[in-house]
Amino acid sequence: MILTSLHLTNFKNIGQCALDFSPKINCFLGDNGVGKSNLLDAIHYLSFCKSFSAVPDRMLIRRGENFAIVSGRYMRRGIEEEVVAGLAADRRKSFKRSGKEYKKLSEHIGLFPLVMVAPADSELINGSGEVRRRFIDMLISQADSRYLDALIRYNQALTQRNSMLRDGIADHNLYIAVEMQMDMAADYIHSVRSARIEALSDIFGRYYAAISDTRETPSLIYRSHLDGSRRLSDLLDDNRDRDRMLRHTSVGPHRDDIDMMLDGMPARQTASQGQAKTYTIALRFAQYEFLRDITSMSPLLLLDDIFDKLDAGRVERIMKLVATDTFGQIFVTDTNRRHLDEIIALTGGSDAVWSVADGSFSLIANPARNEKA
């Protein structure tokens, strides 16, 4: 899959831009805060219907304006397609694929697979379990629509149960009805998470070794209340009195977590900055390979300022990795022209480079046009 062009109007600090992309590597060079990451966020928005930074849609509209438009043209499975998102301050956002508006945005997830590597990925190691659940949910949802449906149903029932707990509702039968809905969805969520995290861990270890060039052993360990033979409905029944006091649901897939380990120790406690950065990049590269194999499409790969805090050896190994045929179309930002030039040299120069300043993009190297998906 290839994103052939992108048109933006009033998206974050970008007033207007129209860019035609190379089918391999697209580089964006500029100082911090000039709009490089905002461009990547617009591409992310077209795949996930939301910002990578999880800010509300109203904050994506350029200051002083009341609407924004994000439009991308793709070559997907040999067919040209267009995705257009329209945002307005006082209306529900519009999301269209090839001119047809979606009834449910969840129908779009997974059709245009994408992986983004960004500085905020440090939160995968240092942040809360919510960050890691979001990571695995986004990964699986792009490849499994049934999982996304189960996740939506579970969260809807969870919201209902939490509302009942806060309102002090004591009707036992009402709790049973809601908890049965949670139980049916949770069974599938848990089984798929367990299998996918195990598969991802194997790929992840290979990428970590390739980038770090060390004998360190990383691992991912899935933790869930549903590990073992008990069903969620039984756990919810046992914890109902406690949950009434807490006024929220204390057990279930929404409390799952992934222990991120390095040589048998928690990475958040033992990893250096370079090791932690290597860990998260390897995790995203593993996500890419997983999606590529499951969807039979090459996802877009977005690399936002990934070379910071890495030694020269790790930078070189990452550049050699992304220049191979393993990865499809890539969008990379950096403040250092040398890194971008070295990537281009590795790929033979069939790339595009833009200079970015104050939300404006100036092409400084022409892309080789090749529309092959």
Side-chain angles (χ1 to χ4, degrees), residues 18-272:
L19 306 178
D20 294 323
F21 296 125
S22 161
K24 183 54 181 173
I25 296 183
N26 298 272
C27 304
F28 301 91
L29 176 69
D31 295 334
N32 293 323
V34 296
K36 305 187 306 296
S37 298
N38 291 344
L39 183 89
L40 298 193
D41 201 14
I43 298 172
H44 181 278
Y45 197 90
L46 290 177
S47 284
F48 291 101
C49 311
K50 62 182 180 181
S51 166
F52 178 79
S53 56
V55 300
D57 286 343
R58 66 179 181 276
M59 295 183 65
L60 303 177
I61 300 173
R62 192 182 189 201
R63 184 176 299 178
E65 305 291 344
N66 57 16
F67 76 97
I69 298 174
V70 183
S71 173
R73 289 188 176 274
Y74 297 80
M75 183 65 70
R76 179 182 178 275
R77 301 195 189 281
I79 299 173
E80 291 186 1
E81 299 203 44
E82 183 180 35
V83 177
V84 180
L87 295 82
D90 56 351
R91 294 198 304 271
R92 177 181 176 272
K93 66 184 170 188
S94 167
F95 220 93
K96 297 180 180 179
R97 176 188 175 197
S98 298
K100 184 176 180 181
E101 186 163 3
Y102 286 100
K103 293 181 179 179
K104 296 190 298 182
L105 294 180
S106 60
E107 297 173 356
H108 182 73
I109 306 303
L111 296 180
F112 298 84
L114 177 149
V115 173
M116 184 164 177
V117 186
D121 284 344
S122 61
E123 289 298 295
L124 288 169
I125 293 176
N126 300 317
S128 66
E130 181 182 1
V131 177
R132 291 178 286 276
R133 286 191 298 275
R134 189 185 308 126
F135 162 76
I136 198 65
D137 287 342
M138 290 180 67
L139 167 64
I140 301 173
S141 294
Q142 288 190 82
D144 186 343
S145 59
R146 181 184 170 192
Y147 178 87
L148 179 58
D149 179 67
L151 197 63
I152 292 171
R153 288 188 288 107
Y154 177 84
N155 286 329
Q156 289 173 340
L158 173 65
T159 298
Q160 186 176 355
R161 187 178 191 268
N162 284 338
S163 178
M164 291 162 58
L165 292 168
R166 288 193 299 270
D167 293 344
I169 293 175
D171 189 328
H172 177 77
N173 291 330
L174 186 55
Y175 277 103
I176 293 298
V178 173
E179 290 166 4
M180 285 181 61
Q181 297 177 48
M182 295 174 66
D183 180 88
M184 289 186 290
D187 185 58
Y188 187 73
I189 292 169
H190 175 262
S191 64
V192 175
R193 280 181 180 172
S194 180
R196 296 310 193 194
I197 292 172
E198 182 178 358
L200 185 71
S201 186
D202 293 338
I203 307 170
F204 161 61
R206 174 160 44 84
Y207 277 110
Y208 187 92
I211 297 171
S212 68
D213 197 29
T214 67
R215 295 185 178 180
E216 298 162 355
T217 303
S219 58
L220 308 173
I221 302 174
Y222 178 39
R223 304 291 187 194
S224 174
H225 292 114
L226 298 184
D227 292 338
S229 58
R230 297 199 67 187
R231 297 196 64 89
L232 178 61
S233 55
D234 295 331
L235 293 172
L236 291 172
D237 190 53
D238 289 347
N239 284 274
R240 195 174 301 129
D241 289 340
R242 176 172 177 264
D243 288 352
R244 283 198 186 103
M245 290 186 291
L246 295 172
R247 302 182 73 185
H248 68 260
T249 303
S250 61
V251 295
H254 64 289
R255 306 288 290 182
D256 288 356
D257 206 345
I258 304 171
D259 290 343
M260 299 198 164
M261 313 294 287
L262 187 60
D263 287 336
M265 298 291 290
R268 66 166 49 178
Q269 297 176 5
T270 61
S272 66

Side-chain angles (χ1 to χ4, degrees), residues 14 120 366:
I14 303 170
N366 289 323

